[in-house]
Amino acid sequence: MKIVIVGGVAGGMSAATRLRRMDEQAEIVVLERDDYVSFANCGLPYHLGGEITRREALVLQTPKSLRDQFGIDVRTGNEVVAVHPGTHEVVVRERDSGREYTESYDRLILSTGAAAIRPPLPGIDHPRIRSLRNIPDMDGIAALLGDAQSAVVVGGGYIGLEMVEALRHRGIAVTLVEAADQIMTVLDREMTVPLLAELDRNDVRVLLSTTAKGFADDDGRVVVDLGDERLTTDLVILAVGVRPESSLAVAAGLAVSDRGAVIVDEHMRTSDPDIFAVGDSVQVTDTVTGNPVVVPLAGPANRQGRIAADAISGRPSSYTSTQGTGIVRVFGLTAAMTGATEAALTRAGRPFQKVYVHPNDHAGYFPGAVSIHLKVLFDPQDGRLLGAQAVGADGVDKRIDVLAVALRAGMTIEDLEHLELAYAPPFGSAKDAVNMAGFVGGNLLRGDVALWYAEQWPDLPSDAVVLDVRNADERNRWAIPDSTWIPLPELRDRLGELPPGAPIYAYCRSGFRSYLAQRILAQSGWPEAATLAGGELTFQAVLPAVAADRELASA
Ligand code: FAD
């Protein structure tokens, strides 16, 4: 059996090495158009930022080490320019000699990745406008960093934010330009508010709802046209997304989606039974919505490579779906997510319930405890988990990984109440952040707590009482406009001040004290009492303009 693999990085090399482990006799040829195989794309921003000091650390294998260790024929500088399914051949162009040759295959695996999107804007070909996909891209950017004082990063997704951080580590002044009204659109908008504050703390200028309309040259520097402003800068990093690199598949007549992603079955087999495709170039099924999606992440690419190898070796493993578990560091904060966002569920017309909690990452009495802002979405009928997002300075990765497993296992919000997670004061709490989300969500499903949400605030009924149960210091700092203030310890004695039976919308800092207030009220003649989900912390993230207006604080 001869297997030819196009693309020698995440998916391709996983497939190649797994194939060798499964079949010692197979002839395995990897064709890679660049000079490097098996390199750490995910590490590129961190080398540019100076945290990964050794460039060689990014190159995990070489053609020689792959030949020596795995007996794989790896040819760099060899681009596949055509696939002929009828004759089971690929046409290869050797970059250095310009020679073209054909290579036959019994099975072909395409792991051609994605290409950085470069919108056809005026001046886009300026030599100081760069994207980051591979080591040559990284070297090109590194060469420009020496004399750069300022940079504009266009696009506030994973790679854009990683590059913002890298450039600031290098002491370069950075402006981040994002077309949407939020950064990181894989998070819901309110969850990105702490990230914006962190960018501000690190002197990054962020321009939301702003598009780069074109570029021009100014004596070797780049002028970025933002419509109402022109920025002159030393370097532009374009990180506005990627598209599946599927031109070979398209030309070979393989089935592709509207968005140009290669369509595969659960064994990563394309519409041609002898051709497989994996990684950033393929369409997968969304774990939560069941919709076809393209999710360019390293974990799925590596696992798909392995599954294609298994299928070729006659093993029945299958790839079911991608849930989009991801994580990004933004200076001192981490943001991570798994499953669907509220925005995605709303777009898909899928009903959901949501809870917000802000517990400490570890026991509050142990030094260094910091809040984790956690949002969990679940099915309103059966409680099944639909998605989770977390932001904080510590412990975010652990919570999202727990929730990613729970979601994949089909667990419910109530199941989270019963998870037994590792605990000692430096690491967690006896009631972990994940348990806390379970308690709130479980209470909600069982009707033990009624929640109201910050986005309802502008439209509350006219007879509603917004009840602040916080203490005097908190009240003096800021309050929801026109709220009534009765601190929780005084509530039982002052119930007579509230209009009998009126809908009471209680709130506190994070939702716990107002839950206690709601329990008192619900049992004392106010059946419509509700507690603000996530409290003041979530309210301020959802309605930042109200939060910023200190004048609105009532006496
Ligand atoms: P790739 O790994 O990109 O490999 C495709 C290879 O195919 C390329 O080397 C290309 O040269 C080659 N190729 C294409 N066409 C041809 C052809 N015709 N002939 C020969 N060779 C060809 N994901 C995460 O989950 N976490 C992260 O932190 C993360 N960080 C990232 C940071 C950066 C800067 C980048 C660029 C990506 C990052 N990713 C991250 C995404 C992750 O790297 C990709 O999802 C993953 O590499 C996809 O694997 P792949 O095999 O599909 O494509």
Side-chain angles (χ1 to χ4, degrees):
M1 166 97 84
K2 177 174 174 185
I3 303 115
V4 171
I5 299 173
V6 189
V9 192
M13 211 43 87
S14 283
T17 50
R18 174 79 174 166
L19 273 167
R20 172 56 74 231
R21 292 192 294 275
M22 295 298 102
D23 185 350
E24 189 54 25
Q25 308 308 321
E27 183 183 353
I28 305 168
V29 180
V30 176
L31 301 165
E32 167 58 55
R33 68 179 169 202
D34 282 341
D35 288 333
Y36 301 92
V37 284
S38 203
F39 68 89
N41 345 35
C42 309
L44 304 180
Y46 302 97
H47 178 60
L48 287 169
E51 276 182 279
I52 299 174
T53 48
R54 288 176 44 249
R55 181 180 176 281
E56 317 84 80
L58 298 170
V59 182
L60 309 173
Q61 296 277 2
T62 62
K64 179 172 181 329
S65 69
L66 287 159
R67 177 176 291 284
D68 293 349
Q69 214 176 330
F70 295 98
I72 298 172
D73 176 0
V74 178
R75 303 179 204 161
T76 54
N78 277 250
E79 178 171 16
V80 174
V81 292
V83 174
H84 297 309
T87 55
H88 281 58
E89 282 174 335
V90 294
V91 180
V92 190
R93 185 180 300 140
E94 235 179 23
R95 188 192 52 215
D96 291 345
S97 65
R99 177 180 80 98
E100 281 195 3
Y101 63 95
T102 57
E103 192 70 52
S104 65
Y105 65 82
D106 296 312
R107 302 284 184 276
L108 179 69
I109 301 178
L110 301 174
S111 188
T112 46
I117 293 173
R118 285 183 82 83
L121 296 171
I124 189 86
D125 293 327
H126 193 291
R128 284 180 172 262
I129 302 176
R130 300 297 176 111
S131 304
L132 180 62
R133 283 298 307 168
N134 52 30
I135 290 187
D137 292 343
M138 179 187 77
D139 292 341
I141 294 170
L144 297 175
L145 290 184
D147 62 353
Q149 312 250 314
S150 70
V152 172
V153 175
V154 184
Y158 290 106
I159 295 178
L161 287 175
E162 287 172 359
M163 280 309 299
V164 163
E165 205 193 51
L167 293 164
R168 288 299 298 130
H169 280 172
R170 292 281 188 151
I172 294 169
V174 181
T175 304
L176 173 63
V177 174
E178 167 57 58
D181 60 359
Q182 67 169 85
I183 55 169
M184 286 297 286
T185 50
V186 289
L187 293 167
D188 285 319
R189 182 153 55 132
E190 73 279 14
M191 300 302 289
T192 66
V193 170
L195 303 180
L196 292 176
E198 184 69 1
L199 289 166
D200 187 52
R201 263 194 296 280
N202 286 277
D203 299 321
V204 178
R205 183 171 177 227
V206 180
L207 302 175
L208 298 177
S209 307
T210 304
T211 10
K213 299 189 179 344
F215 305 93
D217 178 75
D218 179 4
D219 201 17
R221 303 180 78 209
V222 195
V223 182
V224 187
D225 178 6
L226 301 175
D228 44 13
E229 188 178 351
R230 289 164 78 81
L231 296 176
T232 303
T233 188
D234 300 315
L235 174 66
V236 173
I237 301 292
L238 211 54
V240 294
V242 295
R243 58 168 178 75
E245 176 86 72
S246 57
S247 48
L248 280 179
V250 172
L254 302 179
V256 296
S257 72
D258 297 347
R259 294 180 56 196
V262 183
I263 294 175
V264 289
D265 68 8
E266 72 269 31
H267 306 299
M268 310 312 297
R269 196 181 304 242
T270 68
S271 52
D272 181 305
D274 293 328
I275 305 180
F276 294 74
V278 301
D280 288 358
S281 63
V282 305
Q283 174 175 287
V284 291
T285 302
D286 183 290
T287 307
V288 174
T289 64
N291 291 336
V293 284
V294 179
V295 184
L297 287 172
N302 276 279
R303 288 181 284 113
Q304 290 163 8
R306 198 180 150 89
I307 283 166
D310 279 356
I312 291 170
S313 318
R315 283 175 165 69
S317 65
S318 12
Y319 189 83
T320 50
S321 64
T322 300
Q323 66 196 77
T325 307
I327 189 161
V328 67
R329 189 185 69 189
V330 181
F331 299 98
L333 288 184
T334 306
M337 73 298 299
T338 190
T341 58
E342 178 175 347
L345 293 170
T346 304
R347 275 196 304 273
R350 174 92 183 249
F352 61 87
Q353 291 265 35
K354 59 177 176 177
V355 293
Y356 297 90
V357 290
H358 308 275
N360 286 327
D361 70 310
H362 63 251
Y365 58 80
F366 190 88
V370 285
S371 292
I372 295 177
H373 306 292
L374 177 60
K375 174 177 185 177
V376 181
L377 298 138
F378 53 96
D379 187 285
Q381 298 301 322
D382 60 15
R384 206 179 161 103
L385 295 172
L386 300 175
Q389 302 159 50
V391 180
D394 221 344
V396 162
D397 52 346
K398 172 163 97 169
R399 273 50 184 227
I400 285 299
D401 277 346
V402 167
L403 287 160
V405 173
L407 190 150
R408 179 55 68 123
M411 291 170 72
T412 68
I413 188 84
E414 288 177 294
D415 289 329
L416 301 184
E417 297 180 73
H418 307 294
L419 290 185
E420 186 179 318
L421 302 172
Y423 162 61
F427 304 105
S429 300
K431 289 177 191 152
D432 187 82
V434 174
N435 297 132
M436 294 302 291
F439 296 143
V440 178
N443 282 342
L444 183 64
L445 276 187
R446 293 185 293 266
D448 292 332
V449 67
L451 293 179
W452 70 284
Y453 294 93
E455 57 269 28
Q456 289 173 263
W457 177 74
D459 304 313
L460 290 182
S462 55
D463 60 341
V465 175
V466 176
L467 179 65
D468 181 357
V469 299
R470 300 170 306 160
N471 64 33
D473 284 350
E474 293 171 295
R475 178 76 182 173
N476 289 336
R477 263 203 320 274
W478 177 85
I480 295 180
D482 303 322
S483 51
T484 299
W485 178 43
I486 304 180
L488 179 67
E490 300 171 23
L491 183 60
R492 286 188 180 86
D493 295 334
R494 295 176 57 188
L495 287 172
E497 295 174 30
L498 295 170
I504 308 278
Y505 292 78
Y507 80 96
C508 63
R509 181 167 165 74
S510 65
F512 182 62
R513 284 169 294 167
S514 57
Y515 164 53
L516 301 180
Q518 186 243 323
R519 295 302 302 153
I520 294 170
L521 291 163
Q523 297 172 70
S524 310
W526 285 271
E528 287 184 61
T531 179
L532 176 60
E536 168 195 1
L537 292 170
T538 298
F539 186 97
Q540 294 191 340
V542 174
L543 299 169
V546 182
D549 196 343
R550 303 282 140 177
E551 298 297 309
L552 290 175
S554 1

